PDB file of all heavy atoms in Angstrom:
ATOM      1  N   ILE A 548      -4.759 -12.478   5.123  1.00  0.00           N
ATOM      2  CA  ILE A 548      -4.433 -12.890   6.496  1.00  0.00           C
ATOM      3  C   ILE A 548      -4.401 -11.678   7.414  1.00  0.00           C
ATOM      4  O   ILE A 548      -4.804 -11.750   8.575  1.00  0.00           O
ATOM      5  CB  ILE A 548      -3.089 -13.655   6.532  1.00  0.00           C
ATOM      6  CG1 ILE A 548      -3.262 -15.045   5.926  1.00  0.00           C
ATOM      7  CG2 ILE A 548      -2.529 -13.737   7.947  1.00  0.00           C
ATOM      8  CD1 ILE A 548      -1.957 -15.766   5.657  1.00  0.00           C
ATOM      9  N   LEU A 549      -3.944 -10.560   6.878  1.00  0.00           N
ATOM     10  CA  LEU A 549      -3.838  -9.325   7.657  1.00  0.00           C
ATOM     11  C   LEU A 549      -5.157  -8.556   7.724  1.00  0.00           C
ATOM     12  O   LEU A 549      -5.210  -7.460   8.265  1.00  0.00           O
ATOM     13  CB  LEU A 549      -2.717  -8.448   7.095  1.00  0.00           C
ATOM     14  CG  LEU A 549      -1.320  -9.049   7.238  1.00  0.00           C
ATOM     15  CD1 LEU A 549      -0.300  -8.241   6.447  1.00  0.00           C
ATOM     16  CD2 LEU A 549      -0.921  -9.153   8.706  1.00  0.00           C
ATOM     17  N   GLY A 550      -6.215  -9.127   7.142  1.00  0.00           N
ATOM     18  CA  GLY A 550      -7.546  -8.548   7.287  1.00  0.00           C
ATOM     19  C   GLY A 550      -8.005  -7.616   6.188  1.00  0.00           C
ATOM     20  O   GLY A 550      -9.043  -6.961   6.333  1.00  0.00           O
ATOM     21  N   ASN A 551      -7.297  -7.546   5.082  1.00  0.00           N
ATOM     22  CA  ASN A 551      -7.706  -6.660   3.998  1.00  0.00           C
ATOM     23  C   ASN A 551      -8.902  -7.264   3.265  1.00  0.00           C
ATOM     24  O   ASN A 551      -8.817  -8.358   2.710  1.00  0.00           O
ATOM     25  CB  ASN A 551      -6.539  -6.431   3.036  1.00  0.00           C
ATOM     26  CG  ASN A 551      -6.890  -5.446   1.951  1.00  0.00           C
ATOM     27  OD1 ASN A 551      -7.616  -5.772   1.030  1.00  0.00           O
ATOM     28  ND2 ASN A 551      -6.368  -4.240   2.061  1.00  0.00           N
ATOM     29  N   GLU A 552     -10.026  -6.547   3.267  1.00  0.00           N
ATOM     30  CA  GLU A 552     -11.267  -7.056   2.682  1.00  0.00           C
ATOM     31  C   GLU A 552     -11.179  -7.234   1.174  1.00  0.00           C
ATOM     32  O   GLU A 552     -11.785  -8.153   0.617  1.00  0.00           O
ATOM     33  CB  GLU A 552     -12.435  -6.141   3.048  1.00  0.00           C
ATOM     34  CG  GLU A 552     -12.760  -6.173   4.526  1.00  0.00           C
ATOM     35  CD  GLU A 552     -13.878  -5.235   4.911  1.00  0.00           C
ATOM     36  OE1 GLU A 552     -14.605  -4.739   4.011  1.00  0.00           O
ATOM     37  OE2 GLU A 552     -14.031  -4.981   6.116  1.00  0.00           O
ATOM     38  N   ASP A 553     -10.440  -6.358   0.496  1.00  0.00           N
ATOM     39  CA  ASP A 553     -10.279  -6.505  -0.954  1.00  0.00           C
ATOM     40  C   ASP A 553      -9.590  -7.831  -1.267  1.00  0.00           C
ATOM     41  O   ASP A 553      -9.985  -8.548  -2.180  1.00  0.00           O
ATOM     42  CB  ASP A 553      -9.464  -5.351  -1.541  1.00  0.00           C
ATOM     43  CG  ASP A 553     -10.220  -4.038  -1.553  1.00  0.00           C
ATOM     44  OD1 ASP A 553     -11.415  -4.045  -1.892  1.00  0.00           O
ATOM     45  OD2 ASP A 553      -9.615  -3.011  -1.224  1.00  0.00           O
ATOM     46  N   ALA A 554      -8.568  -8.159  -0.494  1.00  0.00           N
ATOM     47  CA  ALA A 554      -7.837  -9.403  -0.718  1.00  0.00           C
ATOM     48  C   ALA A 554      -8.723 -10.617  -0.466  1.00  0.00           C
ATOM     49  O   ALA A 554      -8.691 -11.593  -1.223  1.00  0.00           O
ATOM     50  CB  ALA A 554      -6.599  -9.450   0.167  1.00  0.00           C
ATOM     51  N   VAL A 555      -9.529 -10.564   0.570  1.00  0.00           N
ATOM     52  CA  VAL A 555     -10.458 -11.663   0.860  1.00  0.00           C
ATOM     53  C   VAL A 555     -11.424 -11.839  -0.310  1.00  0.00           C
ATOM     54  O   VAL A 555     -11.710 -12.966  -0.731  1.00  0.00           O
ATOM     55  CB  VAL A 555     -11.211 -11.408   2.185  1.00  0.00           C
ATOM     56  CG1 VAL A 555     -12.319 -12.438   2.394  1.00  0.00           C
ATOM     57  CG2 VAL A 555     -10.235 -11.409   3.371  1.00  0.00           C
ATOM     58  N   ASP A 556     -11.899 -10.726  -0.870  1.00  0.00           N
ATOM     59  CA  ASP A 556     -12.799 -10.806  -2.019  1.00  0.00           C
ATOM     60  C   ASP A 556     -12.108 -11.427  -3.225  1.00  0.00           C
ATOM     61  O   ASP A 556     -12.688 -12.267  -3.911  1.00  0.00           O
ATOM     62  CB  ASP A 556     -13.342  -9.416  -2.375  1.00  0.00           C
ATOM     63  CG  ASP A 556     -14.390  -9.476  -3.475  1.00  0.00           C
ATOM     64  OD1 ASP A 556     -15.399 -10.196  -3.298  1.00  0.00           O
ATOM     65  OD2 ASP A 556     -14.184  -8.826  -4.517  1.00  0.00           O
ATOM     66  N   VAL A 557     -10.863 -11.040  -3.479  1.00  0.00           N
ATOM     67  CA  VAL A 557     -10.126 -11.605  -4.614  1.00  0.00           C
ATOM     68  C   VAL A 557      -9.933 -13.113  -4.418  1.00  0.00           C
ATOM     69  O   VAL A 557     -10.062 -13.885  -5.369  1.00  0.00           O
ATOM     70  CB  VAL A 557      -8.779 -10.886  -4.831  1.00  0.00           C
ATOM     71  CG1 VAL A 557      -7.925 -11.617  -5.854  1.00  0.00           C
ATOM     72  CG2 VAL A 557      -9.008  -9.446  -5.274  1.00  0.00           C
ATOM     73  N   GLN A 558      -9.673 -13.536  -3.201  1.00  0.00           N
ATOM     74  CA  GLN A 558      -9.573 -14.977  -2.939  1.00  0.00           C
ATOM     75  C   GLN A 558     -10.882 -15.680  -3.304  1.00  0.00           C
ATOM     76  O   GLN A 558     -10.866 -16.747  -3.907  1.00  0.00           O
ATOM     77  CB  GLN A 558      -9.237 -15.247  -1.467  1.00  0.00           C
ATOM     78  CG  GLN A 558      -7.816 -14.965  -1.088  1.00  0.00           C
ATOM     79  CD  GLN A 558      -7.573 -15.192   0.390  1.00  0.00           C
ATOM     80  OE1 GLN A 558      -8.433 -14.912   1.228  1.00  0.00           O
ATOM     81  NE2 GLN A 558      -6.388 -15.709   0.706  1.00  0.00           N
ATOM     82  N   SER A 559     -12.008 -15.048  -2.948  1.00  0.00           N
ATOM     83  CA  SER A 559     -13.311 -15.658  -3.235  1.00  0.00           C
ATOM     84  C   SER A 559     -13.609 -15.698  -4.730  1.00  0.00           C
ATOM     85  O   SER A 559     -14.465 -16.460  -5.168  1.00  0.00           O
ATOM     86  CB  SER A 559     -14.430 -14.916  -2.500  1.00  0.00           C
ATOM     87  OG  SER A 559     -14.723 -13.676  -3.128  1.00  0.00           O
TER      88      SER A 559
END
Side-chain angles (χ1 to χ4, degrees):
I548 287 168
L549 295 170
N551 184 285
E552 293 178 14
D553 289 318
V555 172
D556 186 57
V557 171
Q558 285 177 323
S559 75

